[in-house]
Amino acid sequence: KQEVTQIPAALSVPEGENLVLNCSFTDSAIYNLQWFRQDPGKGLTSLLLIQSSQREQTSGRLNASLDKSSGRSTLYIAASQPGDSATYLCAVLIQGGSEKLVFGKGTKLTVNP
Amino acid sequence: KAGVTQTPRYLIKTRGQQVTLSCSPISGHRSVSWYQQTPGQGLQFLFEYFSETQRNKGNFPGRFSGRQFSNSRSEMNVSTLELGDSALYLCASSFTGGKAKNIQYFGAGTRLSVL
């Protein structure tokens, strides 16, 4: 059974700091890994998707890496801003006949001005 | 292009009632998945529909059911509501044009409160 763990559960940093969020998964049989952002009371916004054959993806100040063999992914946020405050969720799309995502419980990020 | 639309946004029900939630996927998307989000359990997969067929189901009781119509719109139904069903219900759609490249797009969710 695939399990996804995110560490830390919460993180508070001053504005301008670079930071890393961690995600680990137990079964390497995945199609891809996605990082999502969720603002309070809202739905999920996809930030980055890394295919299982890829090592990393970048979008603006965000960089996500994937090491499938060790079951780890990191999300790097450069020069953090107060607007980055949200919960960040990692999810893996498991192999099989359907579109099932298995989520971690998220890291709640607070960037203080 | 319109995003994933979920209606209603908020619902208040009492124990024992039933509820139906609706999800309209992005135009052209054929896969619709449903997830339940609670503070304790996080996001949990309910079921996925593709071309009107349920392809996968999560570990939820039979009170939770769903369906998909020919236009890919989906509904989920919860019968005999319990207090523990209070949650944010999220719907996601994807094109399913090649699994490795699939991005799942989520709606804003329906917040269900059971009193």
Side-chain angles (χ1 to χ4, degrees):
Chain A
K1 179 189 169 189
Q2 178 74 266
E3 292 183 359
V4 179
T5 304
Q6 290 187 248
I7 295 173
L11 182 63
S12 181
V13 300
E15 181 177 2
E17 217 172 81
N18 302 323
L19 56 101
V20 174
L21 307 181
N22 296 292
C23 171
S24 62
F25 49 96
T26 55
D27 188 340
S28 62
I30 64 171
Y31 279 119
N32 62 46
L33 182 144
Q34 278 186 257
W35 283 93
F36 293 90
R37 169 186 172 137
Q38 185 174 33
D39 293 288
K42 303 289 180 64
L44 308 182
T45 300
S46 180
L47 298 173
L48 288 166
L49 180 146
I50 311 176
Q51 300 172 33
S52 62
S53 58
Q54 296 178 318
R55 297 285 294 190
E56 66 178 328
Q57 280 287 341
T58 299
S59 176
R61 295 182 293 109
L62 305 179
N63 176 277
S65 69
L66 174 65
D67 184 342
K68 207 172 76 157
S69 60
S70 68
R72 293 172 190 258
S73 176
T74 61
L75 179 66
Y76 174 83
I77 302 177
S80 58
Q81 303 169 358
D84 294 331
S85 298
T87 296
Y88 291 81
L89 293 151
C90 158
V92 295
L93 184 67
I94 64 173
Q95 292 186 2
S98 70
E99 303 274 326
K100 178 179 177 178
L101 285 171
V102 178
F103 283 85
K105 293 197 173 180
T107 294
K108 184 175 181 180
L109 173 65
T110 304
V111 181
N112 301 300
Chain B
K1 205 174 195 180
V4 179
T5 304
Q6 291 188 246
T7 56
R9 289 294 315 279
Y10 303 93
L11 267 177
I12 300 176
K13 294 285 187 179
T14 56
R15 278 182 300 175
Q17 287 187 309
Q18 76 164 17
V19 67
T20 299
L21 313 182
S22 179
C23 172
S24 294
I26 292 172
S27 178
H29 285 191
R30 295 163 66 190
S31 169
V32 174
S33 302
W34 289 88
Y35 294 84
Q36 180 196 65
Q37 187 176 32
T38 58
Q41 298 298 318
L43 272 150
Q44 293 187 288
F45 174 79
L46 280 157
F47 27 65
E48 187 234 353
Y49 287 87
F50 180 79
S51 292
E52 302 179 65
T53 300
Q54 186 181 88
R55 288 205 296 195
N56 200 352
K57 189 178 192 307
N59 190 23
F60 279 82
R63 300 185 297 107
F64 291 82
S65 62
R67 60 178 175 168
Q68 187 180 33
F69 302 95
S70 59
N71 62 357
S72 294
R73 189 177 72 86
S74 177
E75 290 181 346
M76 69 162 280
N77 183 276
V78 189
S79 62
T80 319
L81 283 165
E82 300 177 0
L83 295 178
D85 298 332
S86 295
L88 180 66
Y89 289 88
L90 291 164
C91 160
S93 79
S94 71
F95 175 65
T96 316
K99 288 198 179 300
K101 298 180 182 178
N102 273 349
I103 292 177
Q104 297 217 3
Y105 295 88
F106 281 77
T110 294
R111 172 76 62 185
L112 172 64
S113 298
V114 182
L115 307 178

